[in-house]
């Protein structure tokens, strides 16, 4: 089973599925397993089922969700022992006729606020700690930019994958090191650190390398690769951390130099216009020269009124 | 601050703790033998270090107590005794740790065999899990079994 | 404490070194390579004595790098399991002491060995 299973689209779930949900009530400090039976339909996701339980059976069930389409990263849970997005998981994928049971737990390695809702404070705190934004020395240029920064396609590809993270926290909940080491920065933060360190438009790489150079930073990782296996966006944090570590070691040995690119500067002069081929003709009354010189006007007000 | 503390005290902590690196069945993650290798690397590492301490103490015997004591010690290793079985287990741990360690040095220190960044496309399997390190991982398991069996032959049948 | 990157660099370097040295160390126990009949005979006192005196530098290098690698690994696990200023310091000091003690014992086994009678 990959995270993305094309066969799931045509699978039919068992008609009745038992949902075992690990619940927690902070007022009483009580945690228990509760059982619900849900009637399914084809194409039902685990999130749909949970919402159906909330609407029809038990209004006290608490969960967090927003987009219902694997974009926002709110609905991470442990479903039948695998950290997954509830909205991306078909009931048919996790329940079978032989075993029509779905176990839902809040994500491990986070603190549980209530039922399936976990506390992301630490997670975002760690994300913030690696400074996940472009840092430029030239503040004037950064605040009032005149031109864009140069970024070649191959440089873009070297970090594009890591910039797809939706901060769902699944990688952190799968990480066996994070399970015991609360100080560890975690796969998500380290992958983001790498994403900005190799971005050629960034100049804050040295600070970031200092931050990740510790037992709780990049050296806390021991390549269990669970993060890469559960990430719903194929961000591959595991590979990002190995690249970051090797880069850091090379940097400490003086073998790595950061390549920084600045603003591209004004565009080149407009090129000579090539004459149209003889068979091409403009509409009567239209002059290409005039069109090129005139400003583009979109009658916004008119369009709205009309 | 006091209110915040009061609130966070009531959060439930579900962290598995050290169980995460002794229990491979804690989570059921598909396509992830690296996690098993991680757990085994830890466990064999601890076994190997404990063996190392004992080994250094026991190889100190000729210098400390003379060769007569050494001969007695070696006799413990002959045939199927408790010492020889523990020794054999430690050897297995060291073999696995070394084989898997080769892969880890390549992947962690040199970033080799971990695939290259790509634009995600279905079926969304991360490059790390398709890289050369995966082949090395399977080779590690196979070689480990073979070498350990050979070692058993050398230790117990020669 | 030294920078983590330095410790880990050493961890990888000693690891790579050990792949070679431990293979050699184990190969010394294979009877057919030594021209004897059984595993136990490779542990005979004269054979071992010749090995210790003939390869003393290699054996010491092996002992030191293995000790560093092993103790640093244990230290890493212990630091991960629990946190706290005193705990961290205690683990680091204990690791240093263990290294020194066992390195001394290993040095003694090589330097202080007498020929078998
Ligand atoms: S790296 Fe992947 S699993 Fe981790 S938070 Fe980002 S999107 Fe989620
Ligand atoms: S609800 Fe947005 S990711 Fe599931």
């Amino acid at each position: 089973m990959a995270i993305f299973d094309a066969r799931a689209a045509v699978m039919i779930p068992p008609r009745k599925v038992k949902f075992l949900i690990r619940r927690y009530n902070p007022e009483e400090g009580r945690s228990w397993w509760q059982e619900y039976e849900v009637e399914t339909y084809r194409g039902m996701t685990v999130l749909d089922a949970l919402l159906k339980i909330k609407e029809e059976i038990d209004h006290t069930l608490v969960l967090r969700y927003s987009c219902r389409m694997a974009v926002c990263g709110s609905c991470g849970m442990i479903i039948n022992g695998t950290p997954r997005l509830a909205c991306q998981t078909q009931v048919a994928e996790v329940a079978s006729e032989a075993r029509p049971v779905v176990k839902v737990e809040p994500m491990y390695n986070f603190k549980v606020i209530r039922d399936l809702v976990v506390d992301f404070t630490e997670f975002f705190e760690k994300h913030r700690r690696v400074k996940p934004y472009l840092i430029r020395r030239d503040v004037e240029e950064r605040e009032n930019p005149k031109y864009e920064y140069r970024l070649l396609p191959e440089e873009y590809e070297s970090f594009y994958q890591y910039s797809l993270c939706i901060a769902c926290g699944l990688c952190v909940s799968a990480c066996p090191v994070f399970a015991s080491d609360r100080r560890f920065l975690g796969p998500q933060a380290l992958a983001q650190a790498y994403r900005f360190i190799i971005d050629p438009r960034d100049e804050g790489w040295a600070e970031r390398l200092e931050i990740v150079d510790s037992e709780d930073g990049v050296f806390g990782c021991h390549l269990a690769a669970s993060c890469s296996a559960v990430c719903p966006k194929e961000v591959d944090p595991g590979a990002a951390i190995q690249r970051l570590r090797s880069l850091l070691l090379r940097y400490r040995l003086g073998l790595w130099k950061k390549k920084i690119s600045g603003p591209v500067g004004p565009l080149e002069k407009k090129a000579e216009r090539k004459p149209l081929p003889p068979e091409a003709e403009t509409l009567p009354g239209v002059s290409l020269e005039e069109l090129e010189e005139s400003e583009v006007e979109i009658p916004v007000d008119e369009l709205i009124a009309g | 601050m006091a209110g915040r503390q009061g609130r966070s005290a009531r959060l439930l902590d579900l962290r598995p703790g050290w169980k995460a690196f002794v229990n491979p069945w804690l989570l059921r993650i598909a396509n992830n033998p690296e996690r098993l290798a991680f757990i085994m690397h830890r466990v064999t590492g601890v076994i190997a270090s404990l063996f190392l301490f004992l080994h250094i103490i026991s190889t100190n015997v000729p210098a400390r107590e003379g060769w007569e004591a050494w001969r007695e010690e070696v006799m413990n290793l002959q045939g199927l005794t408790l010492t020889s079985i523990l020794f054999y287990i430690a050897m297995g741990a060291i073999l696995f740790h070394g084989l898997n360690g080769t892969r880890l040095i390549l992947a962690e220190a040199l970033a080799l065999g971990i695939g290259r960044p790509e634009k995600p496309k279905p079926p969304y399997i991360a490059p790390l899990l398709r890289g050369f390190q995966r082949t090395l991982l399977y080779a590690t398991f196979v070689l480990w079994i073979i070498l350990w069996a050979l070692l058993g032959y050398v230790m117990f049948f020669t | 404490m030294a920078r983590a990157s330095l410790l880990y660099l050493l961890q990888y370097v000693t690891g790579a070194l050990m792949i070679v040295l431990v293979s050699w160390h184990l190969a010394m126990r294979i009877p057919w390579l030594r021209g004897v009949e059984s595993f136990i005979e490779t542990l005979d006192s004269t054979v071992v004595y010749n090995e210790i005196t003939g390869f003393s530098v290699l054996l010491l290098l092996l002992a030191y790098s293995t000790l560093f690698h092993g103790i640093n690994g244990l230290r890493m696990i212990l630091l991960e399991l629990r946190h706290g200023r005193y705990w961290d310091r205690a683990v680091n000091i204990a690791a240093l002491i263990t290294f020194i003690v066992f390195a001394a014992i290993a040095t003694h086994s090589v330097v202080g060995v007498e020929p078998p009678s």
Side-chain angles (χ1 to χ4, degrees), chain A residues 123 164-172 187-188 191-192 227 230-237:
Chain A
F123 178 87
L164 293 175
C165 173
I166 56 173
C168 60
L170 290 183
C171 49
V172 167
Q188 192 267 348
Q192 291 315 300
C227 45
V230 299
C231 178
K233 292 284 154 193
E234 206 201 321
V235 171
D236 206 359

Side-chain angles (χ1 to χ4, degrees), chain A residues 4 24 26 81-82 108-109 111-112 119 161 164 174 179-180 182 222-224 226 228 234 236 242-243 245-246, chain B residues 10-13 15-17 20-21 27-28 32 34-35 42 107-109 115-118 120 124-125 127-128:
Chain A
F4 173 86
Y24 172 64
T82 314
Y108 295 163
N109 302 348
K111 288 191 176 140
V112 186
D119 184 10
Q161 189 180 14
L164 293 175
S180 65
R182 181 131 270 175
H222 300 295
L223 191 53
S226 298
S228 296
E234 206 201 321
D236 206 359
Q242 309 324 312
R243 294 213 168 79
R245 166 161 34 203
S246 135
Chain B
R10 262 186 272 123
L11 299 183
L12 176 70
D13 197 350
R15 270 190 316 155
F21 46 75
L27 287 173
R28 298 207 342 231
N32 192 10
E34 288 88 355
R35 193 184 178 100
R42 280 238 150 145
E108 291 190 357
R116 54 178 73 236
E118 60 170 25
Y124 302 116
I125 296 167
L128 173 64

Side-chain angles (χ1 to χ4, degrees), chain A residues 48-59 65 68:
Chain A
D48 292 335
L50 292 175
L51 291 176
K52 192 166 173 180
I53 292 172
K54 189 172 169 69
E55 271 163 25
E56 294 172 8
I57 308 175
D58 184 352
H59 307 318
Y65 74 98
R68 306 180 191 219

Side-chain angles (χ1 to χ4, degrees), chain A residues 15-30:
Chain A
R15 221 172 59 76
K16 276 197 188 280
V17 172
K18 207 160 73 181
F19 273 77
L20 258 179
I21 300 178
R22 185 182 205 141
R23 305 198 50 190
Y24 172 64
N25 181 338
E27 275 90 36
E28 299 166 24
R30 190 165 70 98

Side-chain angles (χ1 to χ4, degrees), chain A residues 44-260:
Chain A
M44 187 189 223
T45 65
V46 172
L47 183 66
D48 292 335
L50 292 175
L51 291 176
K52 192 166 173 180
I53 292 172
K54 189 172 169 69
E55 271 163 25
E56 294 172 8
I57 308 175
D58 184 352
H59 307 318
T60 61
L61 180 70
V62 181
L63 64 144
R64 183 193 277 141
Y65 74 98
S66 176
C67 66
R68 306 180 191 219
M69 46 193 266
V71 169
C72 69
S74 313
C75 64
M77 296 166 192
I78 304 223
I79 300 168
N80 274 359
T82 314
R84 314 180 68 150
L85 292 177
C87 63
Q88 203 191 19
T89 310
Q90 295 275 321
V91 174
E93 264 176 278
V94 287
S96 60
E97 289 294 349
R99 230 185 97 75
V101 182
V102 178
K103 252 168 94 176
V104 185
E105 287 171 83
M107 282 197 284
Y108 295 163
N109 302 348
F110 286 85
K111 288 191 176 140
V112 186
I113 297 176
R114 181 188 276 271
D115 290 354
L116 299 172
V117 179
V118 293
D119 184 10
F120 267 70
T121 322
E122 263 184 44
F123 178 87
F124 289 134
E125 177 55 45
K126 281 171 179 162
H127 188 193
R128 214 170 288 134
R129 209 184 304 160
V130 299
K131 304 183 193 286
Y133 37 80
L134 291 182
I135 298 174
R136 294 296 296 190
R137 288 280 135 65
D138 190 348
V139 180
E140 175 52 33
E141 160 67 36
R142 192 186 63 199
E143 297 302 321
N144 307 303
K146 280 210 219 59
Y147 307 109
E148 47 282 90
Y149 298 127
R150 187 199 318 277
L151 183 62
L152 302 175
E154 52 283 13
E155 293 166 349
Y156 172 65
E157 262 193 25
S158 68
F159 64 77
Y160 169 70
Q161 189 180 14
Y162 309 124
S163 65
L164 293 175
C165 173
I166 56 173
C168 60
L170 290 183
C171 49
V172 167
S173 85
C175 177
V177 176
F178 209 100
S180 65
D181 188 354
R182 181 131 270 175
R183 285 188 303 197
F184 181 41
L185 275 176
Q188 192 267 348
L190 288 169
Q192 291 315 300
Y194 179 68
R195 178 247 174 278
F196 284 98
I197 284 169
I198 52 151
D199 192 324
R201 300 165 295 179
D202 173 75
E203 287 178 326
W205 51 280
E207 308 161 38
R208 263 184 230 110
L209 280 178
E210 285 306 324
I211 294 168
V212 299
D213 180 359
S214 89
E215 260 104 18
D216 313 320
V218 75
F219 293 111
C221 169
H222 300 295
L223 191 53
S226 298
C227 45
S228 296
V230 299
C231 178
K233 292 284 154 193
E234 206 201 321
V235 171
D236 206 359
I241 299 172
Q242 309 324 312
R243 294 213 168 79
L244 178 57
R245 166 161 34 203
S246 135
L247 181 154
L248 176 58
L249 291 176
R250 270 180 287 143
Y251 168 66
R252 289 288 186 230
L253 292 173
L255 297 175
W256 182 75
K257 237 175 115 316
K258 165 95 181 184
K259 182 168 164 279
I260 294 174

